[in-house]
Amino acid sequence: MRERKKSSAVEVSSVKKKKEKKTKDNNEPREQKEKEESQSIMKQQKNTTSRSKKEKQRKTTEDYESLRESELSGDEVHGTDRDVDNADDHHEEDQTDGSEGHRGVEESDSSEDEVAPRNTIGDVPLEWYKDEKHIGYDISGKKITKKERQDKLASFLANVDDSKSWRKIYDEYNDEEVELTKEEIRLVQRLLKGKAPHTDFDQYADYVDWFKYDDALHPLSNAPEPKRRFIPSKWESKKVVQYVRAIRKGLIKFDEPKEEEPKFYLLWGDDSSAAEKAKHLAYIPAPKPKLPGHEESYNPSLEYIPTQEELNSYQLMYEEDRPKFIPRRFTSLRSVPAYENAVKDSFERCMDLYLCPRVRKKRVNIDPETLKPKLPSRKDLKPYPVACYLEYKGHKGAVVSISTEASGQWFASGSTDGTVRIWEVESGRCLRVLEIGEAIQYVAWNPLPELPVLAVSVGQDVLILNTGLGNEEEQRRVKDLLHVETPTAPDDNMASIVSWLQHDKLDGIRLRHFKMVSSVEWHRRGDYLSTVMPAGESRAIFMHQLSKKLSHRIPFKLHGLPVSSVFHPTRSIFFVSTKKNIRVYDLLKQRLIKKLETGLKEVSSIAIHPAGDNLIVGSREGKLCWFDMDLSSKPYRVLKCHPKDITNVAFHRSYPLFASCSDDCTAYVFHGMVYSDLNQNPLIVPLEILRGHTSSNGRGVMDCKFHPRQPWLFTAGADSVIRLYCH
């Protein structure tokens, strides 16, 4: 059994050896065939390279000999095409050379490749060291100081003298100049021409197909092109939408390009243009002196040369007014002497430049519409007088003054025809005509409704007349009040100035003054009245007490000619307006409270607001001033509304209205709201321009008064017509 097993094992091993020998015999011819093919390809390549090598060796030897001759003669080849060709040929020769040692020597002649960089700042931008004196640190940690660089002009001159300056490059990182070798120059020139930097690299080498597929019955991949390669990617579109939303929300911000400061400036340019571009404080150029004209000529025309009389007149002038240069005439430029005041003028010019402050005025473009105050609509401010409702005709002369009764049923008017008429407001009926005989200056109705008394200013007299209105008890009281038994005066001096007399023809009292009276004003209680005599100087304003028939001068010294006087509507304060200012006096304490500066040429009229803290002033120049006495002594608003003189101004008692009339035959109505809150300024809104009167002898509307209860306005014109304007 053992012998059978051994014999079978020997047979199996012999069979395996035969199979291996068979496979070996089959593989040997295939491997030998491949080796022969590869050897034939290598032989062909060696033959081609050996041929090119011989040709190129011949060319390089000729070129190197020519280069040596040029260098010995001192000529430099500055980047010519010949250098490039020589470099290309030289490197192609190196490519065919098989010695590694020779190839290592020819790679670079520069010693910079072997030296490590001195600067060790790492990945830090050099701009951080722009304003510093050093440029990084060395290995030991010490600062590497910057070298002093030459200016542009000195470096340009140095480059002209240095024949090798074109080879030098400034290394900002290490702060030093590096001189390029011929090999590095050839490399740069190859890059500029779009070639490969190293000649070892052959861009157009022969293709060697290392893979050979003998049984090429089917392609490597016969799969069809997928559809996704022809359709836009939806994931990319989603990403784009995300980026767009992030940019709109401001989550992604782009780096704005930094504005580089100009490194150079115009040496002979304008200073102002360079200063505007700079970020620091703008330099303001000094004003240039006046250029010389014909007068400064050495041979001016005869019309510029002053005569002897003019020269004598110059001596009589002040030194400031004299002309600084007197022209003279010379025959030639050689005969012109040196300028006498050259040093003085230059010194004064330097002082002007040094001491004179200069400020750059920046013009701001503002829309004019934004500067207009936002005013409420006129529709929201109704009622106010708009149109003429009635005309009161009957006077033959110009109507100078009008006054309304406290209840608003009657009003009186005075004219230059010497009559005073009493009218009914609603019907326009003339109730009574009082013949005075002289031109009327002013009429004023007593503010108390139970005392129907009228004060009329006529020349030097003030007449206090009974209008005949009211019931029997009121008439009896008025007659007792207007009865004067004997002329009364506190002393002889006052009797010579003002005297109380009983009127002969009319039912009333005559107050005889020593000068012409221009205006009359009643106190709110109806017992006192003030009269103004513009020509009375220190005794220009008097106060009269009707119940006691007494008169006395105000205990204040007047500064300037008085124009009018007004009582405060609620307090014991007296307003006196002169041509320039308005003075406010306290009657109880007998002292000056405030002086209001109008800034006007001449004040014509004054009116007090019913609250007493505001007043308006009209002037002869057509300006209307609003004063807030709690705010300032100067006008709060100045309104230039009338082209001619303002004759009178008036406030309404209950409505927030005020008006002004002028010789231009118009009356202006304004909305003037005064708030109880002291922090809120008064609101002034122009509402309406009332027309209708005609001019007579250069005069227009002479007077205007509001109705005491209704938003109506009465105007008296020089055309002898009184108009009533209603809402």
Side-chain angles (χ1 to χ4, degrees):
M1 290 294 287
R2 291 178 182 175
E3 290 177 357
R4 288 178 183 175
K5 289 181 179 179
K6 286 181 181 179
S7 62
S8 62
V10 170
E11 288 176 0
V12 170
S13 62
S14 63
V15 171
K16 286 183 179 179
K17 286 179 181 179
K18 286 179 182 180
K19 287 182 179 179
E20 288 177 359
K21 192 175 182 181
K22 261 187 184 181
T23 55
K24 192 174 182 182
D25 293 337
N26 294 332
N27 291 333
E28 279 179 0
R30 186 180 293 176
E31 291 177 357
Q32 189 174 0
K33 192 177 181 180
E34 290 178 357
K35 284 182 181 179
E36 289 176 358
E37 289 178 357
S38 63
Q39 286 176 2
S40 64
I41 291 169
M42 294 295 288
K43 284 179 182 180
Q44 290 177 3
Q45 290 179 354
K46 284 181 180 180
N47 292 331
T48 56
T49 53
S50 62
R51 289 174 188 172
S52 62
K53 180 180 177 182
K54 290 177 182 179
E55 292 177 0
K56 289 176 182 177
Q57 278 180 354
R58 182 174 53 79
K59 289 182 181 179
T60 51
T61 53
E62 293 176 359
D63 294 337
Y64 269 115
E65 287 176 1
S66 62
L67 276 172
R68 276 184 83 183
E69 289 175 2
S70 63
E71 285 182 356
L72 289 172
S73 62
D75 298 334
E76 288 289 337
V77 181
H78 295 281
T80 59
D81 294 337
R82 183 179 173 187
D83 266 345
V84 178
D85 296 336
N86 292 340
D88 295 342
D89 297 340
H90 179 62
H91 281 284
E92 287 172 3
E93 180 187 352
D94 292 341
Q95 186 179 1
T96 59
D97 197 356
S99 60
E100 295 179 357
H102 179 70
R103 188 179 299 172
V105 173
E106 291 295 332
E107 279 183 0
S108 176
D109 295 334
S110 176
S111 61
E112 292 294 328
D113 297 337
E114 301 175 2
V115 180
R118 297 188 301 113
N119 196 354
T120 58
I121 59 174
D123 192 13
V124 174
L126 291 175
E127 294 181 358
W128 293 5
Y129 294 91
K130 185 178 180 181
D131 299 329
E132 302 294 335
K133 295 182 179 179
H134 63 284
I135 184 170
Y137 304 87
D138 57 6
I139 298 175
S140 60
K142 295 181 180 180
K143 294 181 179 179
I144 301 174
T145 57
K146 292 182 181 178
K147 295 180 181 179
E148 292 184 0
R149 297 196 64 184
Q150 295 178 338
D151 56 353
K152 296 292 182 181
L153 188 60
S155 62
F156 174 74
L157 295 175
N159 293 337
V160 170
D161 298 336
D162 188 5
S163 61
K164 295 184 179 181
S165 62
W166 65 279
R167 290 173 177 256
K168 295 178 181 178
I169 295 175
Y170 176 69
D171 183 9
E172 293 184 356
Y173 187 76
N174 293 314
D175 192 23
E176 60 183 2
E177 285 189 353
V178 179
E179 186 175 352
L180 300 178
T181 61
K182 292 182 180 180
E183 186 69 24
E184 291 169 344
I185 290 172
R186 291 191 188 101
L187 189 142
V188 171
Q189 288 175 345
R190 286 181 65 85
L191 288 174
L192 291 175
K193 286 193 172 185
K195 297 182 180 180
H198 295 283
T199 54
D200 303 340
F201 178 74
D202 188 8
Q203 299 185 29
Y204 308 105
D206 295 332
Y207 176 73
V208 179
D209 191 5
W210 301 104
F211 176 78
K212 191 172 182 181
Y213 186 32
D214 294 332
D215 301 331
L217 298 177
H218 299 283
L220 295 177
S221 176
N222 199 18
E225 291 289 334
K227 187 178 179 181
R228 63 177 177 272
R229 296 188 183 178
F230 304 97
I231 298 175
S233 176
K234 62 179 181 179
W235 306 108
E236 289 182 0
S237 62
K238 286 183 179 180
K239 202 68 179 175
V240 170
V241 170
Q242 289 179 0
Y243 285 137
V244 170
R245 288 175 180 172
I247 291 170
R248 287 177 180 173
K249 292 180 180 179
L251 301 177
I252 297 177
K253 295 182 180 179
F254 299 100
D255 295 335
E256 296 181 358
K258 296 182 180 178
E259 296 180 359
E260 296 183 358
E261 297 182 359
K263 298 180 181 179
F264 313 102
Y265 62 93
L266 295 174
L267 185 62
W268 308 109
D270 190 8
D271 294 336
S272 61
S273 61
E276 289 176 359
K277 296 179 182 178
K279 294 182 180 180
H280 51 78
L281 293 175
Y283 169 73
I284 303 174
K288 297 181 179 180
K290 183 183 177 183
L291 296 175
H294 296 290
E295 297 178 355
E296 284 77 5
S297 174
Y298 73 93
N299 190 10
S301 303
L302 293 175
E303 58 186 1
Y304 291 102
I305 299 175
T307 60
Q308 189 63 35
E309 295 179 359
E310 292 177 347
L311 292 174
N312 295 334
S313 64
Y314 294 160
Q315 299 298 325
L316 300 176
M317 292 181 181
Y318 291 104
E319 188 176 357
E320 300 173 353
D321 300 335
R322 291 177 192 170
K324 295 183 179 180
F325 180 79
I326 298 174
R328 290 187 295 172
R329 197 168 190 179
F330 300 94
T331 56
S332 64
L333 190 60
R334 294 180 181 178
S335 58
V336 178
Y339 182 49
E340 301 174 356
N341 300 326
V343 178
K344 183 181 178 181
D345 289 354
S346 61
F347 176 74
E348 289 180 354
R349 172 69 176 169
C350 292
M351 291 297 291
D352 290 342
L353 297 177
Y354 176 67
L355 297 176
C356 181
R358 298 186 294 275
V359 178
R360 185 183 297 277
K361 294 183 178 179
K362 293 184 178 180
R363 185 176 180 181
V364 182
N365 295 325
I366 300 176
D367 187 10
E369 296 295 330
T370 59
L371 299 177
K372 292 182 179 179
K374 295 182 180 179
L375 300 177
S377 176
R378 294 194 303 170
K379 296 179 180 179
D380 301 334
L381 304 178
K382 289 183 178 182
Y384 56 87
V386 175
C388 181
Y389 177 69
L390 278 177
E391 289 186 355
Y392 305 90
K393 297 181 179 179
H395 286 287
K396 297 180 181 179
V399 182
V400 179
S401 177
I402 54 177
S403 180
T404 58
E405 190 250 341
S407 63
Q409 185 179 359
W410 315 95
F411 77 94
S413 62
S415 174
T416 55
D417 59 0
T419 60
V420 175
R421 292 175 179 264
I422 299 174
W423 308 81
E424 189 177 8
V425 174
E426 294 183 358
S427 64
R429 176 173 61 95
C430 181
L431 179 66
R432 187 169 298 174
V433 179
L434 303 176
E435 294 287 344
I436 306 299
E438 296 182 29
I440 309 299
Q441 298 291 333
Y442 202 89
V443 293
W445 207 297
N446 193 294
L448 295 178
E450 64 272 8
L451 198 63
V453 176
L454 187 67
V456 182
S457 171
V458 182
Q460 297 182 0
D461 297 337
V462 175
L463 306 180
I464 302 175
L465 304 177
N466 183 8
T467 58
L469 302 176
N471 52 29
E472 295 180 358
E473 293 182 1
E474 292 176 354
Q475 283 296 317
R476 192 183 312 112
R477 191 185 308 160
V478 168
K479 289 181 180 180
D480 294 341
L481 187 63
L482 299 180
H483 177 69
V484 180
E485 297 180 354
T486 55
T488 59
D491 51 11
D492 296 336
N493 188 16
M494 188 61 64
S496 61
I497 297 173
V498 179
S499 57
W500 292 72
L501 302 172
Q502 191 74 38
H503 199 281
D504 300 334
K505 299 180 181 179
L506 300 175
D507 186 9
I509 301 174
R510 180 194 296 270
L511 272 75
R512 178 63 59 87
H513 294 70
F514 69 99
K515 294 288 184 180
M516 188 180 69
V517 179
S518 62
S519 65
V520 180
E521 290 291 336
W522 286 94
H523 191 265
R524 65 181 183 279
R525 294 181 180 176
D527 192 24
Y528 292 91
L529 71 156
S530 66
T531 57
V532 178
M533 295 175 287
E537 297 178 355
S538 62
R539 300 175 296 176
I541 299 177
F542 279 84
M543 288 191 182
H544 312 278
Q545 187 176 4
L546 184 59
S547 59
K548 297 183 179 180
K549 312 298 187 293
L550 295 176
S551 301
H552 55 86
R553 213 163 27 93
I554 58 172
F556 311 115
K557 185 178 180 180
L558 299 176
H559 299 272
L561 298 177
V563 176
S564 62
S565 62
V566 186
F567 288 97
H568 194 278
T570 57
R571 298 165 60 188
S572 59
I573 294 176
F574 191 59
F575 296 85
V576 177
S577 67
T578 60
K579 288 188 176 182
K580 299 290 184 182
N581 303 316
I582 297 172
R583 295 176 178 271
V584 186
Y585 298 98
D586 191 343
L587 295 176
L588 295 178
K589 297 181 180 179
Q590 296 186 1
R591 64 181 181 86
L592 179 67
I593 299 175
K594 187 174 287 189
K595 179 183 176 182
L596 304 178
E597 299 176 1
T598 60
L600 304 173
K601 293 182 179 179
E602 185 178 353
V603 176
S604 62
S605 56
I606 181 175
I608 311 297
H609 191 269
D613 294 332
N614 296 267
L615 69 151
I616 53 175
V617 179
S619 67
R620 298 288 182 188
E621 54 192 299
K623 291 183 179 179
L624 178 67
C625 298
W626 178 292
F627 283 91
D628 189 350
M629 292 191 294
D630 294 334
L631 186 64
S632 173
S633 60
K634 293 184 178 180
Y636 164 67
R637 285 283 184 273
V638 178
L639 307 177
K640 176 64 178 175
C641 47
H642 294 281
K644 291 186 178 181
D645 300 352
I646 294 178
T647 54
N648 196 18
V649 291
F651 268 110
H652 200 284
R653 292 184 185 178
S654 55
Y655 287 91
L657 298 172
F658 68 95
S660 64
C661 59
S662 172
D663 284 336
D664 60 357
C665 302
T666 61
Y668 282 62
V669 181
F670 300 87
H671 174 85
M673 174 61 75
V674 178
Y675 300 96
S676 57
D677 187 6
L678 297 178
N679 295 326
Q680 193 169 1
N681 294 327
L683 176 63
I684 302 173
V685 182
L687 294 177
E688 195 70 32
I689 301 176
L690 304 178
R691 295 181 175 89
H693 289 278
T694 57
S695 178
S696 177
N697 297 327
R699 303 302 301 272
V701 183
M702 306 290 290
D703 195 6
C704 64
K705 289 288 190 303
F706 277 104
H707 192 276
R709 297 182 180 179
Q710 298 293 334
W712 300 343
L713 182 68
F714 297 92
T715 57
D719 54 355
S720 69
V721 178
I722 304 169
R723 290 174 174 267
L724 172 62
Y725 293 91
C726 300
H727 61 284

